Amino acid sequence: AKRTASMRIPVQYGAGEQKEWLLLELQGVCEAREPSEPLDGLPLGELVFERDIPTLYIGHHQLKGKVLELKKPFAVLKKVLQEDATAPAKYIVVAAIRRQIIFKTRPKPLIGLKRQ
C-alpha cells in the first residue's frame, strides 16, 4: 500500500487588506547592452493601461498585451521566522495573484515616435 505524508502549515493574513498582484508573462529574453552590466534590481520598463490594453515600454520598444484570468490563483507568501526552531513553519499571505498579463507579440520599435 502506498503511503503519503502531509504536513499542515498555518497561514495567516497580514494586517490590512491583501494586495492583488499581476503575473507578467513575456516571450523572449531581456539582455543588457553590456554583458558585464547585470540587470538584477533594475526596473524592467513602464507598464501602462491605454484604453484598457496593457502596454509595456522597455527602452525604445512597445509591447501590447492582454489580461487573462488564471485557472488557479497563486498566493504570495512570506515566511515568519520562529524563535523556536522546532516550532512549525508559519507564513503570512502577502498578496494574491488571480490575473496575468501576457505579452506574446513582437516588440514594436518606437524610434522617431513620440509617446503620449
Side-chain angles (χ1 to χ4, degrees), residues 10-85:
V11 174
Q12 76 181 52
Y13 289 94
E17 288 187 37
Q18 268 51 74
K19 299 173 187 167
E20 183 178 354
W21 290 6
L22 293 171
L23 179 69
L24 295 182
E25 183 176 327
L26 302 169
Q27 309 296 317
V29 178
C30 290
E31 295 178 339
R33 289 184 185 164
E34 296 294 325
S36 60
E37 296 177 13
L39 297 175
D40 299 349
L42 295 176
L44 176 66
E46 181 182 359
L47 176 64
V48 296
F49 283 81
E50 298 172 345
R51 296 181 296 279
D52 294 332
I53 297 172
T55 305
L56 182 62
Y57 294 97
I58 302 176
H60 296 288
H61 294 88
Q62 177 191 60
L63 294 99
K64 296 278 186 178
K66 65 179 179 177
V67 180
L68 301 172
E69 295 289 324
L70 292 173
K71 291 179 184 176
K72 291 185 177 182
F74 290 102
V76 180
L77 305 176
K78 180 180 178 183
K79 189 173 185 177
V80 178
L81 296 176
Q82 304 282 21
E83 290 182 21
D84 181 6

Side-chain angles (χ1 to χ4, degrees), residues 83-97:
E83 290 182 21
D84 181 6
T86 61
K90 201 175 194 182
Y91 294 87
I92 294 175
V93 177
V94 177
I97 302 175

